[in-house]
Amino acid sequence: MHKSVLIVGGGASGLMAALFAARGGARATLLERNEKLGKKIYITGKGRCNLTNACDSEAFMRHIFRNPRFLYAALATLDNFGVMELLESLGLALKTERGERVFPASDKASDVTNTLARELARLGVAVRLNARVAHLLAENGRAVGVKMENGEEIKADAVVLATGGMSYPSTGSTGDGYRLAKEAGHTLAAPAPALTPVETVETWPYALSGLSLRNVRLSAYAAGTRKEKRLFSEQGEMLFTHFGVSGPLVLTLSSLLPDDLSGVRLSIDLKPALEEKTLDARMVRDLREFSRKQLITVMDGLAPHNLALTLLSLAGLSPAMPCNALTHEQRRALLGLFKALPLTPLKLRGFSEAIVTRGGVNVREVNPSTMESKCLPGLYFAGEMLDVDAATGGFNLQIAFSTGALAGKSAAKEETA
């Protein structure tokens, strides 16, 4: 007799859980609170869906910030190359771009959702939209189904919670799954926004809103009892905004910052490819060449115009100042801003702008070999429900696919873990 499996949540992890449960021989029913499946998938990768990353396994694990070892079995069930092979076997053409980021060749996130939905239909998965779960049902210490908001009870042999976290609540990720997990006896690592922009104490970035910087190095340091601790230092892209900073470097940094930002400082190396001595020599050469020109002429050759004006303002210098009037100390001050432009983080932006949620169900209360709850047998977890998160670049969607696949496969087995 086939097992019946309920999957709560029709995002990336829920879709994959339903697919693997059905392929494992279970009668799978997918319950989605929204009017369509994969609502959050539609907005990932700016609507293009960076669905995974094609790096090797060692590099992949380095991009997971919290509890990477918990994912060994999930990745063994369906790793990044397995996801690519699966989607391509279902007719979805893929492409790999800079940073090993994988996208549908069509650049349409909807194609990912539609591809998985077609496979669920072929496998006979029952999909119920606008279906909101109010409570878990348990009997004799085991999950046996769910109770809907309309009072309907749906019984099953196993339940997979794949409701997502709290990021982008407009897509339906409102933290309902965490409440259900608590009902089952689980404890949570406090959910917090992750991969989110950062507000700064300084207001000068506001005037540069929209300016994108490429090939810069962003570093973060925290005050220590004896010396500063470096929290982060990577080269890449970032963006100034009307509240502070954003962009890939900042989003990654946000997941590594401590809850208490007091004592944390940021530093931007605008010219990481040039050593300070080399950059200084270039500045000296340019100042001599344009000795009778205004200082902004030289600065415009080193930075975008608005940023050049900002650097001069921070150094207390006039753009109209003649180059030959610049003192040694003033040149060294400008050099210092190019190599270590300081910023102070004020706070992280909220869940409405966070790509993922940090925190969630304590992984020590979940069997990593099956994704089954240790508190309530018959209950499984997948995706952002779990206290696992990673860098940008397709890693978080891969975690959702991998944990969903393992949860669905495990839930479909005749015997529970």
Side-chain angles (χ1 to χ4, degrees):
M1 183 176 178
H2 295 298
K3 288 188 68 176
S4 58
V5 177
L6 286 177
I7 299 93
V8 183
S13 60
L15 288 167
M16 201 61 77
L19 189 154
F20 272 72
R23 285 190 172 185
R27 290 183 290 106
T29 299
L30 180 59
L31 305 175
E32 167 55 45
R33 63 173 287 155
N34 290 313
E35 75 284 358
K36 63 182 179 181
L37 297 172
K39 199 165 183 179
K40 190 173 180 182
I41 293 176
Y42 283 90
I43 63 173
T44 60
K46 297 180 180 178
R48 298 172 60 218
C49 189
N50 178 194
L51 56 98
T52 190
N53 193 285
C55 66
D56 62 41
S57 58
E58 186 175 330
F60 192 98
M61 296 305 288
R62 287 199 302 269
H63 284 85
I64 301 172
F65 297 140
R66 264 161 287 277
N67 301 311
R69 288 185 292 180
F70 175 78
L71 294 172
Y72 285 152
L75 289 167
T77 300
L78 184 71
D79 65 6
N80 45 346
F81 296 103
V83 164
M84 294 165 66
E85 182 180 351
L86 170 62
L87 291 172
E88 288 179 326
S89 73
L90 297 177
L92 181 64
L94 304 176
K95 62 179 178 179
T96 303
E97 298 186 357
R98 181 171 48 86
E100 300 298 311
R101 295 173 301 163
V102 180
F103 296 86
S106 64
D107 282 331
K108 293 181 180 178
S110 57
D111 287 348
V112 177
T113 302
N114 292 338
T115 297
L116 293 172
R118 282 195 301 271
E119 178 64 2
L120 296 191
R122 189 190 70 82
L123 293 168
V125 175
V127 176
R128 293 180 55 173
L129 302 176
N130 298 304
R132 302 196 172 193
V133 173
H135 302 284
L136 292 171
L137 296 177
E139 293 178 3
N140 300 318
R142 181 177 181 81
V144 296
V146 298
K147 184 174 183 178
M148 310 299 289
E149 286 188 355
N150 63 9
E152 177 188 5
E153 293 189 355
I154 306 175
K155 294 295 187 71
D157 296 306
V159 177
V160 178
L161 283 184
T163 60
M166 296 175 67
S167 59
Y168 291 121
S170 61
T171 64
S173 297
T174 56
D176 290 346
Y178 296 145
R179 175 180 55 79
L180 297 175
K182 285 184 176 180
E183 286 183 5
H186 282 275
T187 56
L188 302 180
L195 300 182
T196 190
V198 176
E199 296 185 20
T200 58
V201 172
E202 295 83 358
T203 59
W204 60 258
Y206 306 176
L208 299 175
S209 180
L211 176 63
S212 179
L213 301 179
R214 294 186 176 184
N215 298 318
V216 298
R217 176 169 289 276
L218 176 64
S219 301
Y221 304 88
T225 53
R226 294 185 178 179
K227 63 179 182 178
E228 281 190 322
K229 176 184 177 183
R230 189 170 73 177
L231 303 174
F232 174 85
S233 186
E234 285 190 12
Q235 191 167 323
E237 300 178 20
M238 62 178 294
L239 174 73
F240 291 114
T241 72
H242 65 281
F243 52 76
V245 287
S246 186
L249 284 176
V250 175
L251 297 182
T252 298
L253 165 68
S254 71
S255 289
L256 300 172
L257 290 174
D259 293 333
D260 181 4
L261 294 179
S262 60
V264 176
R265 68 177 181 89
L266 309 182
S267 176
I268 307 170
D269 185 346
L270 297 170
K271 299 289 183 182
L274 298 177
E275 293 184 359
E276 185 172 317
K277 184 178 180 180
T278 305
L279 179 58
D280 190 31
R282 176 178 169 179
M283 291 180 68
V284 169
R285 182 196 68 201
D286 291 350
L287 289 166
R288 286 174 178 169
E289 182 179 349
F290 301 101
S291 62
R292 296 182 182 276
K293 298 282 188 179
Q294 294 183 344
L295 185 55
I296 189 61
T297 304
V298 169
M299 292 295 290
D300 280 346
L302 294 170
H305 181 69
N306 286 343
L307 178 57
L309 291 173
T310 297
L311 295 176
L312 288 172
S313 176
L314 291 173
L317 299 172
S318 168
M321 178 183 184
C323 289
N324 58 15
L326 190 72
T327 67
H328 172 78
E329 289 75 17
Q330 290 170 331
R331 189 187 81 242
R332 295 297 299 179
L334 284 174
L335 181 65
L337 290 174
F338 271 107
K339 296 300 291 181
L341 180 59
L343 275 175
T344 310
L346 177 63
K347 66 176 181 178
L348 303 184
R349 298 290 275 187
F351 283 112
S352 62
E353 296 178 59
I355 293 177
V356 296
T357 303
R358 180 174 73 188
V361 174
N362 187 334
V363 296
R364 290 191 296 272
E365 300 169 357
V366 180
N367 185 336
S369 299
T370 61
M371 297 294 125
E372 187 176 20
S373 165
K374 294 179 180 179
C375 301
L376 184 65
L379 177 65
Y380 298 78
F381 295 105
E384 280 188 78
M385 285 291 305
L386 297 158
D387 183 20
V388 184
D389 62 285
T392 58
F395 300 99
N396 288 287
L397 265 180
Q398 179 61 52
I399 290 172
F401 289 138
S402 296
T403 54
L406 180 54
K409 177 182 177 181
S410 303
K413 288 184 178 179
E414 288 298 323
E415 295 182 0
T416 59

